[in-house]
Structures are given as C-alpha cells and as structure tokens.
Amino acid sequence: MFPQLGVRFADYGRTADIAITVDRPVMTFDWTYTMVYQPKSLTLVSGMVDATDEFDAGPRLAAAIVEQLAAVVLLPRGELDRPTGASTANSTVLRGAGNDADEIVRTAHSMFVESHTIWMKGNLLQDALYTRPEMREWGVRIVDDRNEADIYVDVSRPFLTYEWIFKMISPKTGMVLGTGKVTAIDGPAAAQRLAIDIINRIRSARPLPSADKQSPN
C-alpha cells in the first residue's frame, strides 16, 4: 500500500515525518505501537496486538499500522501542523475559523464516526450518539461513508493514558469544526462522555428545534 499512500521509509540518519515505536512489556504477549508526528511530537495513534513471538507479531503489527497510517495520510498536512490542545481548544479552533465552522455545524445532516484506537470500536461512539435525542431533533444521521458525511468525527487515545481525544472535521473543506478531550477508564465510558461533548459542540451553533418553539415571541 505504500506506493498508493505516497509514503516511503526515511533513510538512516534522516528525520521522518512519522516515527513508529514498537514495544513489548516484559512477561506478556502484548505488542504495543505508537505513531508520532515528529515535527509536533504529536501522538497520532496507538494500539496493541497479541502474538506469541516476533514472527507472529510482525504481520499483525504491519496490518494494524498500515490501516491507521492510511487514515493519517488522508488528513491535510495543515491539520497535523495545527496547535493541539484539550477541551479548551474548541474556542481556539473556532475563533480562527470565524463563522464558517458554525455554519457547517448548523446545517449538517450527516456524521461519520471513526476510532483510531483499538481500545474503542467505532460503533461504541456511533451508538452513544445515535441514542441521543438531540440527534433526532436536529435530523442528523450516522452514515457509513466518510465522503458522504457533513461532519467527520475522529477519536484517538494517546498511549498509556486515559485521555480520549476527538476532532470534528468537515470532509469537504478539511476545516476543523471542534476538538475536545475526556478522561475515562475504558471505551464504553469514554463513548458516553465523548457523545456529550460532541452534542454540546453542535448545540453551541445549533439550538434544538424544541427550544426554539418554547422560546417567547
């Protein structure tokens, strides 16, 4: 897949855009990996595979890493170079984007959710969002095709942390619509908290129809 992705291995002694580190905690069959964007020291994704030895682990690690690398390559280079932050980053991103980000959120009708950590399957957050009454009121549906979505939600978890980071992006423009971070012990708990933060971001630009009906004339 490397030729299709336009990616090559850096020569020894040269700094690569992305560094991949593999480790195996002692007395375990767990093989962990982290993918770091070196210009910003930004952890893009992390994960783990279970294997008995290096001959078994190699192909499994390669399959997992290439799949996630393909998702990273799809992001515009400018998005990787943006300043990073936690929940407070929402205001910073939106301040730079002006009203355009709010307008995209206000008129969105579809959302695609993708998880880039093995600790949370994408359907966990999809289900958490799907059951929110606000999504039904806004008429926002979860779709299976990223390119058809008005909003793309990306979730990652930095290695050896309990922090779950989400980024809301417009697939059509590459504009970051909002970012945030929650702390949770596992994927199911994180999905519920992430759903709340994502709903609150949408609500900041898009009042609920029921609230408009109840407001005084």
Side-chain angles (χ1 to χ4, degrees):
M1 288 182 65
F2 271 49
Q4 291 91 329
L5 295 175
V7 177
R8 62 179 178 82
F9 286 107
D11 296 329
Y12 287 105
R14 298 186 62 183
T15 300
D17 293 323
I18 295 176
I20 298 172
T21 303
V22 176
D23 192 18
R24 177 185 177 184
V26 65
M27 302 297 291
T28 73
F29 293 108
D30 299 332
W31 303 74
T32 62
Y33 65 90
T34 56
M35 190 183 302
V36 177
Y37 180 60
Q38 295 198 106
K40 289 289 183 179
S41 298
L42 172 65
T43 299
L44 300 173
V45 292
S46 61
M48 181 184 70
V49 302
D50 181 73
T52 55
D53 56 31
E54 63 267 32
F55 302 104
D56 185 27
R60 296 189 184 190
L61 286 166
I65 290 170
V66 169
E67 181 180 353
Q68 294 183 329
L69 184 61
V72 171
V73 170
L74 289 175
L75 289 175
R77 179 65 177 259
E79 298 303 328
L80 294 176
D81 288 327
R82 284 181 183 272
T84 58
S87 297
T88 54
N90 271 326
S91 59
T92 304
V93 171
L94 297 177
R95 194 179 304 121
N99 294 326
D100 292 341
D102 280 349
E103 183 62 24
I104 293 173
V105 172
R106 190 178 300 115
T107 59
H109 295 292
S110 57
M111 181 183 295
F112 177 78
V113 179
E114 189 169 21
S115 172
H116 286 118
T117 168
I118 64 171
W119 305 110
M120 176 191 287
K121 298 297 183 182
N123 65 300
L124 283 177
L125 183 52
Q126 287 183 18
D127 292 345
L129 288 167
Y130 184 76
T131 56
R132 297 288 304 191
E134 297 93 338
M135 295 286 282
R136 292 191 292 275
E137 283 204 52
W138 285 318
V140 177
R141 59 191 178 88
I142 306 295
V143 298
D144 296 327
D145 188 340
R146 171 178 171 174
N147 294 324
E148 292 183 359
D150 298 316
I151 297 176
Y152 165 54
V153 178
D154 173 85
V155 179
S156 61
R157 176 186 173 183
F159 187 53
L160 292 179
T161 74
Y162 291 108
E163 297 175 350
W164 306 76
I165 300 171
F166 75 88
K167 183 180 290 186
M168 298 170 63
I169 302 170
S170 167
K172 299 178 178 64
T173 66
M175 179 183 294
V176 175
L177 309 175
T179 63
K181 178 178 69 175
V182 303
T183 302
I185 191 67
D186 57 19
Q192 297 299 321
R193 297 185 181 185
L194 287 167
I196 292 172
D197 274 15
I198 291 169
I199 291 296
N200 286 338
R201 164 62 191 112
I202 300 175
R203 193 198 296 266
S204 70
R206 185 173 188 168
L208 291 170
S210 58
D212 289 340
K213 294 177 182 177
Q214 295 173 5
S215 61
N217 293 327

